[in-house]
Amino acid sequence: MENNSIGKKFVITCFGESHGKCIGIIVDGCPAGLPLSEQDIQKELNKRLPPKLEIVSARREKDLVEFLSGTFNGFTTGAPICTLVSNKEVISSEYDLIKDTPRPSHADYPAQIKYGGFNDYRGGGRFSGRITVAFIMAGAVAKKLLGLFGVEVLAYTIEIGKVKLHTTPTLEEIRRNTYKTAVRSPSLEGEKEMEEAILKAKKEGDSIGGIVECIAHNVPVGVGEPLFDSLDADIAKMLFNVPAVKGVEFGIGFKAARLKGSENNDPYAIRDGKIVTLTNNAGGILGGLSSGMPILVRVAIKPTPSISKKQKTVDLSKMEETVIQVKGRHDPCIVPKAVPVIESAVAIVLADHMLRAGVIPKVLRRQK
Ligand SMILES: Cc1cc2nc3c(=O)[nH]c(=O)nc-3n(C[C@H](O)[C@H](O)[C@H](O)COP(=O)(O)O)c2cc1C
């Protein structure tokens, strides 16, 4: 397989399979002088497992990060950073079934055809949600880097199944509540209803999807490279590389198509000596460049394809139609685990573009 890297200045390469030895990343291009420890990465990895474990898959590895290279005396050296986690809790026999009877809406069928049957199908292989452990490790580095320049990236659940947040969360609520709640939602009221929706789907042998919103504050004006690396295009590309992502919209997104210019345009104003817009329908990006307003992106996540209800499929070895009942330990809803992944994906692209724009220098000089 090729194309396992993304980015131009902050380049991440991701390796490993769901049931292989490990999942890992190499980050090339991170400036020298960034304070970075195993703990910085571990803290982000721990966000994958919500406090109420019954709402996620029964595969509950304590993913412990191993730091292989790229730091010295607690600071990045400018050399490639390589980190990995081992896959320990693996039951591959559960996947024998899907070798010839592909799971509907998973990647099993196209992957088997593309790689001539040589792909590692166990646990979904390279197509597993577990691959996103790599996104989180690279995202941890990106977030630490962005933090030095005042940029904060926060993702949170706004919809699960048919349950929506009734109010727009404040920044304080997002910071305080998101990782306290099992569903990764900033609203403590909405949490219970969302959890119940997941548990109901699980009981029925089914799954549900949802929507994650992500906001990035303090990105300076003018970050992005229009034609052909516009900031929104690159963020969308990264987000569509997260398995199960089916839609991405910025600002008011598809709603803009139904408005008049006078309703959609974000008027300029000056507040505290700074140029701002009075609304942010654009979601902080104009012409592929950051506008200085918060970058706001929403991501639609489909229901988990592996469900224990019986489904129609085909037996590829016999060219016969058949029925499959998927085994294994699957997430009844991907959304809670996807929240830190979306946060990381957006941070990775912002780190890359801020390096490209020269806003982040190649070497971070020691503070005196
Ligand atoms: C964090 C995360 C966890 C996931 N867990 C599962 C799972 O337990 N079972 C499953 O069938 N798919 C799971 N997926 C989704 C599949 O990997 C994905 O649907 C599949 O690769 C097909 O890709 P597509 O949905 O983008 O077309 C997960 C995805 C993510 C991001």
Side-chain angles (χ1 to χ4, degrees):
M1 287 195 216
E2 46 195 14
N3 300 323
N4 293 296
S5 305
I6 194 162
K8 293 231 162 112
K9 292 267 184 205
F10 186 89
V11 184
I12 70 157
T13 303
C14 128
F15 58 91
E17 298 81 18
S18 181
H19 287 201
K21 274 199 165 167
C22 66
I23 303 283
I25 48 126
I26 298 170
V27 177
D28 199 3
C30 180
L34 174 72
L36 189 69
S37 67
E38 268 182 13
Q39 199 39 43
D40 290 320
I41 309 232
Q42 192 60 54
K43 195 178 79 197
E44 295 298 316
L45 281 174
N46 293 348
K47 291 181 178 173
R48 267 174 53 81
L49 280 191
K52 287 188 187 148
L53 291 170
E54 60 273 29
I55 66 158
V56 291
S57 127
R59 182 173 172 170
R60 278 153 205 174
E61 278 164 276
K62 184 105 183 76
D63 286 323
L64 291 178
V65 66
E66 276 180 63
F67 220 113
L68 300 193
S69 69
T71 58
F72 178 59
N73 287 337
F75 291 88
T76 54
T77 59
I81 299 164
C82 182
T83 70
L84 58 82
V85 298
S86 299
N87 295 323
K88 294 208 174 98
E89 209 201 296
V90 165
I91 309 176
S92 298
S93 58
E94 285 170 344
Y95 289 87
D96 289 345
L97 185 70
I98 63 159
K99 187 168 169 289
D100 291 316
T101 48
R103 287 169 293 176
S105 290
H106 211 294
D108 308 333
Y109 172 61
Q112 189 183 131
I113 299 299
K114 182 171 171 71
Y115 299 106
F118 289 105
N119 58 304
D120 182 352
Y121 56 83
R122 299 166 306 161
R126 285 289 282 174
F127 300 91
S128 166
R130 187 150 173 78
I131 283 296
T132 59
V133 165
F135 288 48
I136 293 186
M137 291 190 287
V141 182
K143 278 166 58 172
K144 190 90 199 269
L145 183 59
L146 292 173
L148 287 189
F149 294 84
V151 175
E152 186 180 25
V153 185
L154 299 159
Y156 43 92
T157 303
I158 58 166
E159 274 186 53
I160 284 202
K162 295 197 172 100
V163 185
K164 291 183 188 182
L165 287 195
H166 301 301
T167 49
T168 308
T170 64
L171 188 56
E172 246 340 278
E173 284 173 324
I174 297 170
R175 285 191 187 127
R176 188 166 11 98
N177 298 338
T178 300
Y179 287 103
K180 266 194 205 154
T181 66
V183 291
R184 304 324 196 185
S185 168
S187 157
L188 298 177
E189 288 94 68
E191 183 195 11
K192 200 162 171 1
E193 242 187 296
M194 287 181 174
E195 262 178 55
E196 279 166 9
I198 297 177
L199 293 174
K200 183 168 179 283
K202 184 178 175 183
K203 210 167 152 205
E204 290 165 355
D206 219 324
S207 62
I208 50 176
I211 299 181
V212 175
E213 191 166 88
C214 183
I215 192 157
H217 286 280
N218 296 329
V219 178
V221 187
V223 173
E225 301 294 333
L227 298 191
F228 287 101
D229 291 340
S230 69
L231 191 57
D232 38 2
D234 277 1
I235 291 174
K237 178 171 178 173
M238 187 72 195
L239 289 171
F240 275 117
N241 279 297
V242 176
V245 166
K246 291 293 135 186
V248 172
E249 65 174 12
F250 291 86
I252 58 166
F254 272 52
K255 276 193 197 136
R258 296 177 208 115
L259 296 183
K260 293 181 184 156
S262 55
E263 295 166 324
N264 180 56
N265 292 351
D266 297 314
Y268 285 107
I270 300 172
R271 293 285 179 273
D272 300 326
K274 259 186 72 185
I275 294 180
V276 295
T277 58
L278 297 176
T279 50
N280 187 19
N281 293 339
I285 302 179
L286 292 168
L289 305 175
S290 55
S291 70
M293 293 301 287
I295 292 175
L296 184 75
V297 57
R298 266 181 301 278
V299 183
I301 303 200
K302 75 181 191 185
T304 318
S306 300
I307 52 174
S308 56
K309 274 196 167 161
K310 287 187 180 160
Q311 301 175 84
K312 286 184 187 166
T313 186
V314 289
D315 186 327
L316 298 170
S317 64
K318 299 183 190 149
M319 274 307 272
E320 272 175 11
E321 291 187 2
T322 183
V323 167
I324 188 175
Q325 195 166 10
V326 178
K327 293 201 185 115
R329 297 156 301 161
H330 298 281
D331 297 297
C333 179
I334 291 164
V335 175
K337 272 194 192 166
V339 167
V341 179
I342 303 292
E343 204 167 271
S344 299
V346 172
I348 289 164
V349 178
L350 289 176
D352 186 44
H353 271 281
M354 282 176 63
L355 275 158
R356 290 171 74 176
V359 181
I360 302 180
K362 273 186 163 175
V363 180
L364 306 167
R365 301 284 164 206
R366 279 178 208 279
Q367 304 284 319
K368 295 238 166 83

